[in-house]
Amino acid sequence: MAGLRVLQSAPPLALCPNAHVPNDCEQCRVRSLSICGALDNDELAALDRMARPLTFHARDTLFEQDEPADSVFNITSGSARLYKLLPDGRRQIVGFALPGDFLGLAMEERNSFSADALTPLSACQFSRQAFSEFLDSTPHLLRRLHNMASHELSLAQDQMVILGRRTAEEKVAAFLIGLRKRWGRLSTSSVTIPLPMTRQDIGDFLGLTVETVSRMLTRLAREKVILIVPDGVRLLDIARIEALAES
Amino acid sequence: MAGLRVLQSAPPLALCPNAHVPNDCEQCRVRSLSICGALDNDELAALDRMARPLTFHARDTLFEQDEPADSVFNITSGSARLYKLLPDGRRQIVGFALPGDFLGLAMEERNSFSADALTPLSACQFSRQAFSEFLDSTPHLLRRLHNMASHELSLAQDQMVILGRRTAEEKVAAFLIGLRKRWGRLSTSSVTIPLPMTRQDIGDFLGLTVETVSRMLTRLAREKVILIVPDGVRLLDIARIEALAES
DNA sequence: CGTTGGGTTGATCGACCTCAATAAAAGTGG
DNA sequence: CCACTTTTATTGAGGTCGATCAACCCAACG
C-alpha cells in the first residue's frame, strides 16, 4: 500500500480489538456505535483475535483508490477524508470518517476511493478475507453491516441533493448541520463543531472552491450565525442555520 | 399510498414470483440479475408465495418520500425515477430504476425518496415485514442484498463526483455512458440507448436545467458523437464520449 | 383542429470561479 | 527562541459557465 506509514512508536491508543491485549474491546469508547456493538462476548473475543490495532499520523494514507482492498478498518479515534480523484487532478471528497465508522463496507476487490488521516488516527484493521469469513458465520453482524451500508447510502443520496440542487450558502450550512449531527452522536453537547479538515477539503466535499467556502463562512460569521474558532466553528443561531440547510 | 394506482386490467406482464401462478419465477427474465438469483428452488418457491405481482402505468406513483415503507419492490420490467424534493420544489433525482433493480434495500421505517414509473412497469411487491423475516432465515440472500446495497453506494459516490466536479458536457456524457452500461447488462448490444426519462429528469439527475441538457445533447449530435433518435440516443463515437466521461 | 407537454434555440444575467495579493498560522532548522 | 519557509485562510477584481427568461416548434391526443 504505497504511502502507508504506520507509527512505530505505537502508544496504547487502540481502544478496540487488539491481538496483544485481549478484551481491550470492552473498554472501546466506540464499541456500541460501531459494528462491534452487534456482537456478544464470545463473538467479540473472536473478532478481537482477528484485529490489528494501528495508528496513523495526520496526512498518512490508509489506502488508495484502485489498489487491492486487502483490509477493512474500524476507526476508533481521529478522522479521515475519503476521496476520488479525476485524471486531471479534480477531487471529490465522498465523505469524512469519524470514530466508529467502518471503512470497507462494500468488501470489493479494489478500493473505490482513497482515504487519509486528517488527524492522528487509530483503527482496528482486519484482513478482508478473514472478516468476510467471520461475516458468513455471524449473520447478525452481516445485518448490522448492511444497516450501516444502507445508512451510508442514504447519506450519499442526501449529499446528491446538496451537490445538485443547493446554493453555496446552503451547502455550507447543510455541511455544518450534518457534521453537528455526527459529532453529537459521539460526544455530548455540540454547539462547537470541530473541523479537522481544511477549507479546501470542505470545498471538495461540497463542489465549491476554497474561496467560496471561505466567503460563505465569513458571511455566516458576519451575520452572527456562527463564530469561527480555531479548528472549528461555534453555532450561534442554530435555527437560522437549520433553516438554510432545511431539507 | 396516495397517488398509487394499480392497473386493474393486469396483463400477464409479471415475470417474477406470483401468488396465483406459482413458479412463474423460473421464467423471470431478470431473475439472475435480481435478488432472486441468490436463491435455490425451495427458497424461490417460498419467496414466490410472499410476492404480489403489480403493474403500473407510466407516471403512476410506486411510493412517496417520508411515507411509511410497508413494502419493498423488485422491478421486473419498465423503469422508474427515484427522487427527493426540497420544500421549495427543487428536485434531485437520486437514481433511475431498471428491470432487476430492488427498491427498499435500506429496509427503513420510512421511504427516503419517492418513486414513480417512467413507462408501464411491473414489479414484485413484498411486505417489508415478511421480507425482513425471510431475510433473517436466509443469510445468503442478505449477503446478496448487502452486495447490491454496496454497489448502489458505489454508484452514488460516482454520482457525487459527477455532480460536484464535472462540467455540463461531461455530466451528460457520463450519464449516457452510465446508462449504456446498465442497459448492456440487460439486453445485448448497446449502441442505441433508450431514454425513457425527459430532459427535465436528466437535468434533475445531473444538477442542470432542461435547457442545458438540451444544448449539450444538441452539441454532441452536431459533432457527430451521438445521434438523437425517438426516445433515446445512438452512440456514434463511443471513444469520444468515454473520453468526455472519463473517470 | 385546439390544447398540452416535451424539446430546442436565442439573449441576457448572475452565482460562483479564476486569478492575484495579502494575512495568518504552522512547521523547520539553526 | 527566533528567522524562514510552507501551508492555509481571507479578501478583492474580473471573467465565465450555466441559469433564467422568452419564444417557438412539434407530436400526441381528445
Side-chain angles (χ1 to χ4, degrees):
Chain A
M1 216 170 280
L4 187 154
R5 289 181 308 155
V6 177
L7 275 182
Q8 292 312 316
S9 57
L13 283 176
L15 298 162
C16 200
N18 181 320
H20 306 101
V21 186
N23 292 327
D24 226 6
C25 296
E26 296 183 0
Q27 274 98 53
C28 182
R29 278 181 297 173
V30 298
R31 177 152 76 98
S32 63
L33 298 163
S34 77
I35 51 161
C36 314
L39 303 175
D40 65 29
N41 284 344
D42 286 354
E43 293 162 341
L44 199 58
L47 195 64
D48 192 335
R49 268 173 258 121
M50 294 165 43
R52 268 191 57 191
L54 294 182
T55 59
F56 299 89
H57 284 119
R59 288 150 194 275
D60 281 351
T61 301
L62 277 76
F63 52 80
E64 274 181 294
Q65 186 173 4
D66 299 329
E67 283 188 348
D70 299 321
S71 308
V72 299
F73 298 86
N74 202 28
I75 310 288
T76 51
S77 75
S79 49
R81 61 180 170 212
L82 318 177
Y83 59 95
K84 287 168 170 270
L85 287 175
L86 294 180
D88 63 3
R90 283 176 288 177
R91 185 178 67 154
Q92 177 68 43
I93 290 188
V94 296
F96 295 103
L98 304 186
D101 286 351
F102 187 85
L103 300 181
L105 284 169
M107 312 271 293
E108 280 166 351
E109 281 302 313
R110 286 172 180 276
N111 302 310
S112 69
F113 51 77
S114 303
D116 44 43
L118 290 168
T119 62
L121 181 153
S122 53
C124 293
Q125 183 191 40
F126 304 89
S127 141
R128 182 169 67 89
Q129 171 89 22
F131 190 84
S132 178
E133 282 161 12
F134 185 69
L135 214 48
D136 283 325
S137 67
T138 320
H140 53 286
L141 179 60
L142 177 57
R143 189 91 192 213
R144 173 86 164 202
L145 211 64
H146 178 62
N147 288 342
M148 290 179 79
S150 298
H151 184 242
E152 284 295 307
L153 179 57
S154 186
L155 288 182
Q157 288 166 344
D158 291 343
Q159 190 67 10
M160 285 167 64
V161 181
I162 290 172
L163 287 168
R165 287 298 179 223
R166 312 206 81 129
T167 65
E169 188 175 41
E170 291 171 341
K171 284 178 176 182
V172 172
F175 169 69
L176 294 177
I177 291 297
L179 255 196
R180 174 179 134 90
K181 192 170 177 185
R182 296 184 66 200
W183 283 124
R185 210 168 294 147
L186 293 169
S187 58
T188 50
S189 96
S190 48
V191 282
T192 299
I193 302 175
L195 295 178
M197 68 292 289
T198 67
R199 304 290 192 255
Q200 179 69 61
D201 291 334
I202 299 174
D204 284 346
F205 185 53
L206 297 175
L208 299 172
T209 59
V210 211
E211 295 94 327
T212 301
V213 173
S214 180
R215 276 186 251 270
M216 294 304 129
L217 286 173
T218 304
R219 184 200 290 180
L220 291 173
R222 191 169 52 236
E223 293 174 358
K224 307 265 184 274
V225 180
I226 64 171
L227 178 67
I228 298 174
V229 299
D231 301 314
V233 296
R234 173 176 285 256
L235 304 187
L236 301 179
D237 188 344
I238 293 178
R240 276 274 290 294
I241 203 162
E242 273 179 340
L244 279 171
E246 110 228 74
S247 78
Chain B
M1 217 169 281
L4 186 156
R5 289 182 307 155
V6 176
L7 275 182
Q8 293 311 315
S9 58
L13 282 176
L15 298 162
C16 199
N18 180 321
H20 307 101
V21 185
N23 294 328
D24 225 7
C25 295
E26 296 183 0
Q27 275 98 54
C28 181
R29 278 180 298 173
V30 298
R31 178 152 75 101
S32 63
L33 298 163
S34 76
I35 51 161
C36 314
L39 303 175
D40 65 28
N41 284 343
D42 286 354
E43 293 162 341
L44 199 56
L47 195 63
D48 192 335
R49 267 174 258 120
M50 293 165 44
R52 269 191 57 191
L54 294 182
T55 58
F56 298 88
H57 284 120
R59 288 149 195 275
D60 281 351
T61 301
L62 277 77
F63 52 80
E64 274 180 295
Q65 185 174 5
D66 300 329
E67 285 188 345
D70 300 320
S71 306
V72 299
F73 298 86
N74 202 28
I75 311 288
T76 51
S77 76
S79 49
R81 62 181 169 211
L82 318 177
Y83 59 95
K84 285 167 170 270
L85 287 175
L86 294 180
D88 64 2
R90 283 177 287 179
R91 185 178 67 153
Q92 176 68 43
I93 291 188
V94 296
F96 295 104
L98 303 186
D101 285 351
F102 187 85
L103 301 181
L105 283 170
M107 312 272 292
E108 281 166 351
E109 281 304 312
R110 287 172 179 276
N111 302 310
S112 68
F113 50 77
S114 303
D116 44 43
L118 290 168
T119 62
L121 181 153
S122 53
C124 293
Q125 183 190 39
F126 304 89
S127 142
R128 182 169 66 90
Q129 171 90 22
F131 189 84
S132 178
E133 282 161 12
F134 185 68
L135 214 50
D136 283 327
S137 67
T138 320
H140 53 285
L141 179 60
L142 176 56
R143 189 91 193 213
R144 174 86 163 201
L145 211 65
H146 178 61
N147 288 342
M148 291 179 78
S150 298
H151 184 241
E152 284 295 306
L153 178 57
S154 185
L155 288 182
Q157 287 166 344
D158 290 343
Q159 190 68 10
M160 285 167 64
V161 181
I162 290 171
L163 287 167
R165 286 298 179 222
R166 312 207 81 130
T167 65
E169 189 175 40
E170 290 170 342
K171 284 179 177 183
V172 172
F175 170 69
L176 294 176
I177 291 296
L179 256 196
R180 173 178 135 89
K181 192 170 178 185
R182 296 184 65 199
W183 283 125
R185 211 168 293 147
L186 293 169
S187 59
T188 50
S189 97
S190 48
V191 282
T192 299
I193 302 175
L195 295 178
M197 68 292 289
T198 67
R199 305 290 192 253
Q200 180 69 61
D201 290 334
I202 299 174
D204 285 345
F205 185 52
L206 297 176
L208 299 172
T209 59
V210 211
E211 294 94 327
T212 301
V213 172
S214 181
R215 275 187 251 271
M216 294 304 130
L217 286 172
T218 304
R219 184 199 291 181
L220 290 173
R222 191 169 51 235
E223 292 174 358
K224 307 266 184 275
V225 180
I226 65 172
L227 178 66
I228 298 174
V229 299
D231 301 315
V233 296
R234 174 176 283 256
L235 304 187
L236 301 178
D237 188 343
I238 293 178
R240 277 273 290 294
I241 204 163
E242 274 180 339
L244 279 171
E246 110 227 73
S247 76

